[in-house]
Amino acid sequence: MAKNIFRKAKRFPKMHLAVVGSLSFIALMLSILPSSEVEATRSQIELISPKALPEAQLPVAETTSSTLIEHNEQTSATTEVAEQPPAIEWQRFKVKSGDNLSKIFKRAGLGAKDVHKIAQADKKTKHFNALRPGQTLSLHIEDNQLITLRIEKSLLESVEFSLTDTGYQQETLVLEPEMRQRFVTGEISSSLYLAAKSAGLSENITMKLAEVFGWDIDFALDIRKGDQFRVLFEEKYLDGKRIGDGDILAAEFTNNGDTFAAVRYEDSNGDVNYFTPEGRSMRKAFLRSPVDFRRISSGFTRERYHPVLGVKRPHRGTDYAAKTGTAIKAAGDGKVIWRGTKGGYGRTVIIQHGGNITTLYGHMSKYNSKVKKGSRVKQGQTIGYVGMSGTATGPHLHYEFRVAGVHKNPQTVKLPAAQPIAKKERANFNKVANDMIASLQQKAIEQLIASESRAAE
Ligand SMILES: [Zn+2]
């Protein structure tokens, strides 16, 4: 299994260098993956519709050094809003370092009694204890009486305390950003990263683009000068200001003359995946390597010279050297059929997948406590952590891929595609895919015409 990982590394230094090179690029790309914060925001934004909040109440980020920003807000004239609420005169305060509610209330001309009264409404949630420098507090005061206090938690979320007959009532307001579509096209001269940057793509969208096509294209090794991409994606706007990226809706990538197209599709269960316009999954059913590794310390061989035993012995898996504690992911969806110590393999997990395929993960330092024998796991789910339990000379994952009990080389085995579009989704998918691909092509033509007419001027 792992006894001669160092010897192996010495024998093929060049190959390892290439592997490490391509991986560090992917690792870099992975490090700029969208944060979980973005996901959290997405799940919250459905809570309140934009119409529930008149524009006069939208929190506006101020960039002034003054601590008091007097602001007479005007409701912007829109034809669709029939009933305009009366304009509220808000006083705005930026939280300074060392500030607390008492200090801010003092600046607003309010007293200790007001602080005490409103603090009653925050006993459990403790928003007042969590004020951060730079945050904006908006106060609506009438006749020396605080009517409403609003704390801006983020661009999209604020907490409001409003005076009622029974004291101040707390409410969380979540804004839904406006989603605008944007089309970007680019041509590669050296790397996707540089081409995307000069085309105006954010790192976030570039990373997503590499993720969508990463199953077909190795962005470190396969990229050629002249490769092209077209991306239609969403951006989040609030009050006319761009506040972040949304998702890629559709994209095309031409690599070395081959064009790949992908369409985002959310099915009736809310699961989101990318498919080819024909409805095949962009994903494979298995990850090529189930761990972010530093190098392959030992490849798959039918016969391998064993340095200790001095005999030839096969190595029927791939050894991925990685730091102890690195997460090991399930290579594909399946069911855990073994979790326990298994001789020289040490702490081992075996997963049964569809198509009579099993995968084995050895030498773990520990298991994911939630993943037990019989558990159903999803592709990419953490099942355990890299270690050197069993017979191993250094921390690594020993990974095996078996089809009907026969060991295959995990690095070269042909990986089956993930499930295509489901039958019951087919009609809807076709409509979405046709619209998206047509839109992609239409925008490419528009851009071409625009650039030609600019050139003609
Ligand atoms: Zn091994």
Side-chain angles (χ1 to χ4, degrees), residues 179-335:
M179 300 303 257
R180 294 189 192 169
Q181 290 190 3
R182 191 169 153 209
F183 175 77
V184 165
T185 175
E187 186 169 319
I188 292 172
S189 53
S190 57
S191 74
L192 170 65
Y193 181 79
L194 290 175
K197 201 175 167 186
S198 68
L201 279 188
S202 69
E203 286 188 349
N204 185 3
I205 294 291
T206 307
M207 179 56 223
K208 287 182 175 180
L209 185 66
E211 222 179 324
V212 169
F213 293 105
W215 298 88
D216 293 301
I217 303 163
D218 182 329
F219 283 95
L221 301 176
D222 296 342
I223 291 300
R224 298 286 177 274
K225 191 174 178 337
D227 282 359
Q228 290 175 335
F229 57 85
R230 296 168 171 181
V231 201
L232 183 64
F233 61 102
E234 286 186 324
E235 291 182 309
K236 294 175 190 166
Y237 276 81
L238 193 64
D239 288 351
K241 262 190 262 178
R242 184 189 171 280
I243 58 161
D245 295 310
D247 292 305
I248 291 177
L249 301 175
E252 276 181 8
F253 199 100
T254 303
N255 172 235
N256 208 10
D258 292 328
T259 296
F260 301 86
V263 173
R264 180 183 190 273
Y265 183 71
E266 182 174 348
D267 67 19
S268 44
N269 299 323
D271 287 337
V272 172
N273 276 296
Y274 287 88
F275 295 92
T276 69
E278 297 76 35
R280 288 191 303 273
S281 179
M282 292 300 288
R283 285 194 299 121
K284 300 278 184 259
F286 294 88
L287 300 172
R288 178 60 75 189
S289 26
V291 68
D292 290 330
F293 57 100
R294 292 176 155 181
R295 65 198 166 87
I296 290 171
S297 47
S298 199
F300 181 96
T301 48
R302 300 258 167 233
E303 277 193 304
R304 176 179 74 158
Y305 178 75
H306 199 286
V308 177
L309 303 176
V311 293
K312 282 183 177 178
R313 240 180 66 171
H315 183 243
R316 296 191 290 192
T318 301
D319 289 348
Y320 297 103
K323 258 195 207 162
T324 296
T326 306
I328 298 166
K329 295 170 272 191
D333 297 354
K335 190 174 153 189

Side-chain angles (χ1 to χ4, degrees), residues 70-193:
E70 291 201 60
H71 211 64
N72 193 359
E73 290 195 307
Q74 300 288 333
T75 43
S76 63
T78 58
T79 45
E80 52 182 58
V81 181
E83 284 174 44
Q84 295 274 349
I88 293 172
E89 192 161 321
W90 289 96
Q91 290 186 39
R92 299 186 169 216
F93 296 87
K94 278 248 161 168
V95 178
K96 294 186 294 186
S97 177
D99 250 352
N100 58 37
L101 199 65
S102 300
K103 287 183 182 175
I104 294 167
F105 271 30
K106 209 172 164 187
R107 292 208 289 278
L110 297 169
K113 237 168 50 185
D114 298 301
V115 175
H116 178 75
K117 213 169 149 191
I118 202 165
Q120 299 295 315
D122 191 39
K123 267 186 176 164
K124 279 185 193 150
T125 43
K126 299 193 189 301
H127 290 292
F128 300 142
N129 293 350
L131 294 179
R132 290 187 319 270
Q135 263 183 324
T136 301
L137 264 59
S138 305
L139 283 74
H140 170 210
I141 301 172
E142 266 179 40
D143 304 326
N144 297 320
Q145 171 88 59
L146 177 66
I147 309 294
T148 311
L149 164 67
R150 187 194 300 139
I151 306 172
E152 191 183 293
K153 305 294 277 185
S154 69
L155 280 173
L156 294 176
E157 192 187 334
S158 54
V159 181
E160 207 168 83
F161 298 83
S162 306
L163 188 62
T164 68
D165 295 341
T166 55
Y168 288 95
Q169 293 295 315
Q170 192 189 128
E171 193 186 1
T172 299
L173 309 174
V174 181
L175 297 174
E176 189 176 351
E178 180 199 341
M179 300 303 257
R180 294 189 192 169
Q181 290 190 3
R182 191 169 153 209
F183 175 77
V184 165
T185 175
E187 186 169 319
I188 292 172
S189 53
S190 57
S191 74
L192 170 65
Y193 181 79

Side-chain angles (χ1 to χ4, degrees), residues 12-25 218 220-221:
F12 302 109
K14 275 192 186 148
M15 184 197 82
H16 293 137
L17 223 65
V19 170
V20 172
S22 90
L23 287 165
S24 58
F25 176 78
D218 182 329
L221 301 176

